[in-house]
Amino acid sequence: SQELEQSPQSLIVQEGKNLTINCTSSKTLYGLYWYKQKYGEGLIFLMMLQKGGEEKSHEKITAKLDEKKQQSSLHITASQPSHAGIYLCGADRTGNQFYFGTGTSLTVIP
Amino acid sequence: DSGVTQTPKHLITATGQRVTLRCSPRSGDLSVYWYQQSLDQGLQFLIQYYNGEERAKGNILERFSAQQFPDLHSELNLSSLELGDSALYFCASSVVAGSRVYEQYFGPGTRLTVT
């Protein structure tokens, strides 16, 4: 089973709508990263959350970390076609091990 | 553009064959990481090299091997290919050995299709 589970797996929204993507860890979270991947391309780092309760924003994208729930959420406000892609959460573990979530595919319909 | 280059961009081959994927890290980066992304497994860390030496191993199959050369470019060798090896293979690089995920710069990937 995956260490990082994302939900939903895919999302289709109308342009202008808000949406939320969740990432839940099966192990204690010490930090979590969010990436965006355009179809068939590399990963683009969005933001990193390190402390419980931390919230960060980048343009219209906001992410929060809930350490107690071992969960992070990524919220997009007033979605645009440029937000389309695959969103991945990621985490480090000791011993130079790197894990990523299962991914959420976002389609924004103009 | 992350500065990490990967070749080839696409590769189609048959089961049982062997292929080599190539990665050139960003200028000045000593660490190279390989990842496999498939629909059913998601993005999985395979292996890390730092300045020519293997540094960390993830979910890499025995049929797969990698190396990092003195000029710091890296190659991922996949042998006895199976249909399930079809995936997008990413290379990432960073300056230091103990990098966090966010410090890694990802290449555009090589899409491997095994028929």
Side-chain angles (χ1 to χ4, degrees):
Chain A
S1 64
Q2 294 280 349
E3 281 207 22
L4 295 171
E5 292 280 352
Q6 284 183 238
S7 62
Q9 261 190 330
S10 65
L11 207 45
I12 302 173
V13 300
Q14 203 75 39
E15 184 177 356
K17 295 292 185 188
N18 302 336
L19 62 106
T20 300
I21 298 169
N22 293 306
C23 175
T24 303
S25 175
S26 60
K27 296 188 178 178
T28 304
L29 272 175
Y30 297 104
L32 188 122
Y33 313 93
W34 283 100
Y35 282 83
K36 180 184 174 185
Q37 180 184 13
K38 291 211 166 177
Y39 295 103
E41 296 181 16
L43 275 64
I44 300 166
F45 172 69
L46 293 176
M47 58 190 90
M48 174 181 70
L49 304 164
Q50 284 191 300
K51 304 172 198 173
E54 187 173 13
E55 182 174 318
K56 282 190 177 175
S57 291
H58 173 70
E59 297 177 346
K60 291 186 177 176
I61 302 175
T62 302
K64 296 180 193 178
L65 179 63
D66 185 333
E67 269 183 351
K68 287 181 185 174
K69 290 184 182 176
Q70 295 181 178
Q71 189 176 69
S72 176
S73 59
L74 184 92
H75 185 77
I76 299 178
T77 305
S79 57
Q80 300 168 357
S82 60
H83 287 128
I86 299 172
Y87 289 82
L88 289 161
C89 58
D92 307 310
R93 297 280 182 245
T94 55
N96 274 29
Q97 294 296 313
F98 311 102
Y99 296 93
F100 287 86
T102 45
T104 296
S105 173
L106 172 64
T107 303
V108 180
I109 302 171
Chain B
D1 185 353
S2 66
V4 178
T5 58
Q6 288 187 249
T7 56
K9 214 171 178 178
H10 301 279
L11 199 48
I12 302 173
T13 189
T15 53
Q17 295 298 306
R18 173 189 167 96
V19 296
T20 298
L21 312 184
R22 184 188 168 104
C23 167
S24 293
R26 288 187 324 156
S27 176
D29 284 0
L30 298 177
S31 263
V32 170
Y33 311 77
W34 285 99
Y35 293 86
Q36 178 195 56
Q37 185 179 36
S38 60
L39 284 173
D40 54 346
Q41 297 285 327
L43 186 60
Q44 305 254 332
F45 167 64
L46 296 178
I47 197 164
Q48 177 199 0
Y49 276 80
Y50 175 74
N51 206 20
E53 300 287 327
E54 183 183 303
R55 177 81 180 187
K57 248 182 177 174
N59 297 324
I60 188 164
L61 298 171
E62 282 191 16
R63 300 184 285 110
F64 296 0
S65 65
Q67 52 184 328
Q68 186 179 26
F69 294 87
D71 67 352
L72 301 176
H73 91 270
S74 177
E75 291 181 356
L76 179 67
N77 299 297
L78 315 175
S79 61
S80 302
L81 285 168
E82 301 174 1
L83 294 176
D85 296 328
S86 296
L88 196 52
Y89 290 85
F90 286 108
C91 165
S93 74
S94 67
V95 175
V96 297
S99 295
R100 307 289 295 276
V101 167
Y102 77 95
E103 293 168 322
Q104 297 176 26
Y105 291 83
F106 282 78
T110 291
R111 182 168 293 283
L112 173 66
T113 303
V114 182
T115 60

